[in-house]
Amino acid sequence: MGLDSSGPLEDGHGRLIGDLRVSVTDRCNFRCQYCMPAEGLPWLDRSELLSFEEIERLVRLFVALGIGDVRLTGGEPLARRELPKLVGMLSAIGGLEDLSLTTNGYMLERYAGALAAAGLRRINVSLDSLSRDRFFQITRRDALPQVIAGLAALERYPQFSPVKVNCVAMRGFTEAEVLPFAALARRKPYQVRFIEFMPLDADHAWDQDKVLTGAEIRTMIDAVYPLEPLGRQSHATARVYRFRDGAGEIGFVNPVSEPFCADCNRIRLTAEGKLRTCLFSLHETDLRDPLRAGADDAELESLIREAVWRKELKHHVSEPGFRQPARTMSQIGG
Ligand code: SAM
C-alpha cells in the first residue's frame, strides 16, 4: 500500500504514529555533560520559536490525524514563559488522551500547582545523581535541593502519580547511583527509569564504551533487591520491573543495547517547527514556514503525511557508518 491521504498517520513500514514530542524551547538552565557544552549553544531567536498559537494549531491537526499522546519538552520547557498557559490550550483539545511534560525539575516547586490546574496529566523528571556534588558535576549546576523540592511538590498532586524519574546511565559515573536510585524507587511513589546514554551530545564524546547498559544495571539491582519483570507494553520505551518483596518499580530504556524501533510510534516537533521522525534523523520537514506563509490544514496535513511516511525503519547507532545528527538532544526535544 502507498501513502494514503486519509485515515490515521502511518509510516511506510506499517507503523501507526500516536505519540508527538513537542519542544517548546531550545534553551536550558542546566548544562548536562552528555547534552550541552558548558557555555551553552547558539540559542534560537524568539521570533524563530513557534508561538503558543502555532503550537496549538499544529497539535490540533496532529490529534485529528490520530496522535493521542503529546509530551512537552525542550531544552527546559519550564524555561519558556507562561508554559501553564500552553498546557491549558492543549489540554482543551478534544481527542488528546494524554498530555505530559519532561523537565529537569528545577522550577517545579513553583509551577506544579499551575500545571495541575491547567490539565497536565503526567510528569517525567530528569535526575542523574542523588548526591549534591555529583549532581553538580553532571549538570554543572548546584541545584539538587531545588529538584528534590520540585519532586516533593508533585506529591501534593495525586493526578501526576506515578511520577517518572529518568536517569541517564553512563559508565564510570552512574554505577554509584544505581542502588541509591533503587532505594528511592522503593521509598517514594516514583518509577525510576535508567536511560542509556545516546550519541546526541554536543561534544560528540559518546562512544559505545560509555554506555552503561540496562542489563548491567538490572543485574546490580537484582543482586540486592530482587526484581521481577512486568514487561514492555507495545510502543513503550521502558522495560519495567518491580521489586519482588513489595512496592516500587524500576524501568530500563535501552535504545542502544536493545533498540525498540520496530514498534516506535513517536515523532517530534522542534521548537522552531521542524518535524523529525526519529531522534537520529538526518532529514527534517519544516512546518513553520508553510504555516507562516498561510498554508491551510490540508496543505500542512499532506506535508506531515509525507514526512511520516518516510519515517526511518530504525536507528543505526552502534553500526559502522553511523552519523550523529547535527542537533543535540536539547535542540531536538528529548
Ligand atoms: N530539560 C528537560 C529535562 O531535563 O528533562 C527536557 C529536555 S532533556 C533534553 C530530555 C531528556 O533527554 C533528559 O532526561 C535528558 O537527561 C535526556 N538526554 C539528553 N541528552 C542525552 C543523551 N545524550 N543520551 C540520553 N539521554 C539524554
Side-chain angles (χ1 to χ4, degrees):
M1 244 188 58
L3 174 58
D4 196 347
S5 60
S6 63
L9 264 186
E10 189 180 357
D11 76 7
H13 309 287
R15 294 170 297 195
L16 290 180
I17 304 303
D19 185 307
L20 173 70
R21 312 277 160 111
V22 178
S23 173
V24 296
T25 178
D26 59 328
R27 294 177 195 235
C28 190
N29 48 343
F30 287 9
R31 294 287 181 274
C32 299
Q33 302 271 0
Y34 51 76
C35 188
M36 268 198 204
E39 65 279 11
L41 291 162
W43 310 125
L44 293 168
D45 282 342
R46 200 180 160 79
S47 62
E48 294 177 90
L49 297 180
L50 293 180
S51 68
F52 284 178
E53 288 69 26
E54 288 169 333
I55 294 174
E56 184 198 24
R57 165 133 185 247
L58 289 175
V59 169
R60 221 175 254 291
L61 193 54
F62 278 109
V63 169
L65 295 175
I67 294 285
D69 297 348
V70 169
R71 170 172 296 278
L72 301 177
T73 181
E76 171 47 43
L78 288 172
R80 176 92 187 239
R81 278 216 338 249
E82 298 190 281
L83 188 80
K85 181 176 160 196
L86 177 66
V87 169
M89 291 163 73
L90 300 184
S91 66
I93 296 176
L96 180 61
E97 289 152 24
D98 196 18
L99 181 61
S100 57
L101 175 75
T102 297
T103 172
N104 63 28
Y106 184 81
M107 287 179 270
L108 263 185
E109 193 179 20
R110 190 186 329 157
Y111 285 114
L115 292 168
L120 192 71
R121 299 276 299 278
R122 292 187 301 124
I123 298 196
N124 288 6
V125 178
S126 304
L127 177 56
D128 302 321
S129 173
L130 293 171
S131 99
R132 190 163 175 173
D133 55 334
R134 302 181 91 248
F135 182 98
F136 175 76
Q137 189 187 332
I138 203 81
T139 62
R140 303 183 176 110
R141 297 289 185 265
D142 179 21
L144 180 62
Q146 285 89 337
V147 177
I148 298 291
L151 279 168
L154 293 183
E155 287 179 43
R156 295 199 282 275
Y157 301 94
Q159 59 267 55
F160 293 141
S161 179
V163 169
K164 288 179 183 153
V165 173
N166 291 333
C167 172
V168 176
M170 284 157 298
R171 191 177 302 287
F173 182 86
T174 307
E175 292 87 341
E177 302 292 338
V178 167
L179 292 180
F181 271 112
L184 182 78
R186 291 164 64 80
R187 196 169 70 238
K188 291 283 193 180
Y190 311 149
Q191 185 192 91
V192 172
R193 310 190 316 166
F194 291 95
I195 302 181
E196 290 175 349
F197 176 32
M198 290 180 271
L200 293 168
D201 54 323
D203 297 338
H204 289 232
W206 183 91
D207 82 51
Q208 190 80 45
D209 295 342
K210 294 188 179 140
V211 181
L212 183 64
T213 67
E216 291 174 90
I217 297 175
R218 203 178 70 227
T219 304
M220 291 166 73
I221 297 176
D222 191 59
V224 181
Y225 307 116
L227 294 169
E228 62 190 19
L230 292 175
R232 173 180 166 264
Q233 292 176 330
S234 69
H235 309 310
T237 54
R239 293 167 194 274
V240 182
Y241 288 70
R242 74 162 176 231
F243 296 106
R244 227 184 278 159
D245 66 353
E249 288 181 1
I250 293 270
F252 300 93
V253 182
N254 304 336
V256 180
S257 66
E258 296 179 85
F260 35 84
C261 308
D263 63 359
C264 176
N265 70 342
R266 284 171 290 283
I267 53 175
R268 292 179 153 81
L269 185 63
T270 69
E272 78 273 48
K274 308 266 198 232
L275 183 62
R276 294 178 61 85
T277 48
C278 173
L279 267 180
F280 298 97
S281 291
L282 297 173
H283 305 283
E284 42 195 34
T285 300
D286 181 38
L287 297 180
R288 187 193 64 196
D289 285 355
L291 186 74
R292 291 188 181 170
D296 63 19
D297 283 359
E299 288 166 307
L300 292 171
E301 178 181 331
S302 97
L303 285 172
I304 292 168
R305 283 189 187 279
E306 276 167 34
V308 165
W309 185 254
R310 293 191 307 269
K311 179 172 162 70
E312 297 76 351
L313 176 61
K314 63 202 247 321
H315 72 62
H316 297 282
V317 175
S318 311
E319 293 175 16
F322 167 73
R323 272 167 63 206
Q324 179 166 341
R327 289 176 185 269
T328 64
M329 190 71 125
S330 63
Q331 295 167 320
I332 295 171

